[in-house]
């Protein structure tokens, strides 16, 4: 069962913040976040394991609420380079699914 | 050399053709994956190999046949495809078959006429 992401698309001005949500109907072991720029391969951002930890690097961080089977990706002070499609991936049992994707566009 | 390479980058084939997609990873990983990416659809996991053994086969039609001769190479053999199989086919690798940090190749853009 694929996780659902929201919003489907968002447009930001440079410097603004954004939150992307990922929700699953199944109990999750881990949540994975990737970014794919147009015409390029997806690139790994981070993994969050069961335990509710929050991870981050630079101005991109994420949280994982295992009770709600949800994860959120936080982008602060967005830069033009943040534009792309963000995918969450969820691991439940031995089943791995990518989410529906969120298109993020940062404009000057 | 880039971590994961795929050839060809573009492929056009008729429904009666037989072709193969190739993936090679130079990262020393022991797990490899095939994904299908269609427009407006999530990335779909097709096959997972760990130490050259297939560990996942997500209800993929038999017209797609994977092969993993060693931990560095992965093939996807295609025959009698349908137009709806047109998509971007992505290969990925990771250190273990636990879906940890996956490194993706650039993909093969397949068009079935």
């Amino acid at each position: 069962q694929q996780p659902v992401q929201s919003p489907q698309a968002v447009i930001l001005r440079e410097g603004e913040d954004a939150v992307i949500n990922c929700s699953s109907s199944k109990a999750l072991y881990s949540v994975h976040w990737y970014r794919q720029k147009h015409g390029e391969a997806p690139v790994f951002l981070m993994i969050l394991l069961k335990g509710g930890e929050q991870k981050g690097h630079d101005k991109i961080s994420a949280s994982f609420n295992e009770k709600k089977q949800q994860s959120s990706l936080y982008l602060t002070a967005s830069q033009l380079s943040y534009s792309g499609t963000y995918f969450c991936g969820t691991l439940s049992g031995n089943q791995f699914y990518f989410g529906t994707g969120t298109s993020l566009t940062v404009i000057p | 050399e880039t971590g994961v390479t795929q050839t060809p980058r573009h492929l056009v084939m008729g429904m009666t053709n037989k072709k193969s997609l190739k993936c090679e990873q130079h990262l020393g990983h022991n797990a490899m994956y095939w994904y299908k990416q269609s427009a407006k659809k999530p990335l779909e996991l097709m096959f997972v190999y760990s130490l050259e053994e297939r560990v996942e086969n997500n209800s993929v039609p038999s017209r797609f046949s994977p092969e993993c001769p060693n931990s560095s190479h992965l093939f996807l053999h295609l025959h009698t495809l349908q137009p709806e199989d047109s998509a971007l086919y992505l290969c990925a690798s990771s250190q273990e078959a636990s879906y940890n940090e996956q490194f993706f190749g650039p993909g093969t853009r397949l068009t079935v006429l």
Side-chain angles (χ1 to χ4, degrees):
Chain A
Q1 202 81 16
Q2 279 128 1
V4 176
Q5 291 182 231
S6 62
Q8 285 188 316
V10 59
I11 298 176
L12 301 172
R13 292 200 177 275
E14 255 185 305
E16 290 183 337
D17 301 341
V19 181
I20 299 171
N21 300 301
C22 174
S23 182
S24 174
S25 59
K26 299 200 166 194
L28 301 176
Y29 175 74
S30 60
V31 179
H32 311 222
W33 285 98
Y34 286 80
R35 175 173 62 208
Q36 184 177 27
K37 300 198 175 194
H38 184 68
E40 298 181 11
V43 173
F44 172 81
L45 294 175
M46 65 188 78
I47 288 178
L48 299 102
L49 301 177
K50 205 165 88 163
E53 64 178 303
Q54 187 154 356
K55 280 199 167 186
H57 58 89
D58 200 12
K59 295 185 176 121
I60 300 177
S61 61
S63 62
F64 175 24
N65 185 327
E66 64 191 81
K67 288 183 183 175
K68 293 186 177 179
Q69 292 122 237
Q70 292 175 347
S71 177
S72 295
L73 186 71
Y74 306 94
L75 300 101
T76 57
S78 58
Q79 304 167 16
L80 296 176
S81 62
Y82 286 4
S83 292
T85 301
Y86 289 77
F87 294 98
C88 67
T90 56
L91 183 61
S92 176
N94 64 346
Q95 295 293 311
F96 183 80
Y97 293 101
F98 272 108
T100 46
T102 296
S103 172
L104 186 137
T105 305
V106 181
I107 57 176
Chain B
E1 183 152 16
T2 53
V4 182
T5 57
Q6 290 186 243
T7 54
R9 294 294 307 276
H10 300 272
L11 178 63
V12 179
M13 60 187 288
M15 289 192 282
T16 57
N17 292 157
K18 287 185 181 181
K19 297 285 183 184
S20 296
L21 309 185
K22 179 182 175 183
C23 175
E24 185 173 358
Q25 60 95 2
H26 310 273
L27 300 167
H29 291 161
N30 55 26
M32 297 186 78
Y33 311 76
W34 277 119
Y35 287 91
K36 177 183 178 183
Q37 187 172 37
S38 307
K40 316 238 180 207
K41 283 178 129 182
L43 277 156
E44 298 170 58
L45 180 63
M46 300 175 74
F47 302 104
V48 181
Y49 275 83
S50 174
L51 298 170
E52 300 135 50
E53 296 287 325
R54 193 189 312 178
V55 296
E56 284 288 332
N57 177 353
N58 285 347
S59 304
V60 179
S62 59
R63 56 185 184 269
F64 294 92
S65 174
E67 180 190 1
C68 188
N70 55 61
S71 59
S72 299
H73 293 86
L74 186 64
F75 294 89
L76 188 63
H77 304 299
L78 316 170
H79 65 97
T80 58
L81 293 192
Q82 305 298 309
E84 60 264 28
D85 296 323
S86 298
L88 181 68
Y89 288 85
L90 289 160
C91 171
S93 70
S94 68
Q95 186 53 46
E96 294 169 357
S98 55
Y99 307 98
N100 283 339
E101 183 177 359
Q102 295 176 58
F103 291 78
F104 283 83
T108 294
R109 175 67 63 188
L110 174 68
T111 303
V112 181
L113 301 176

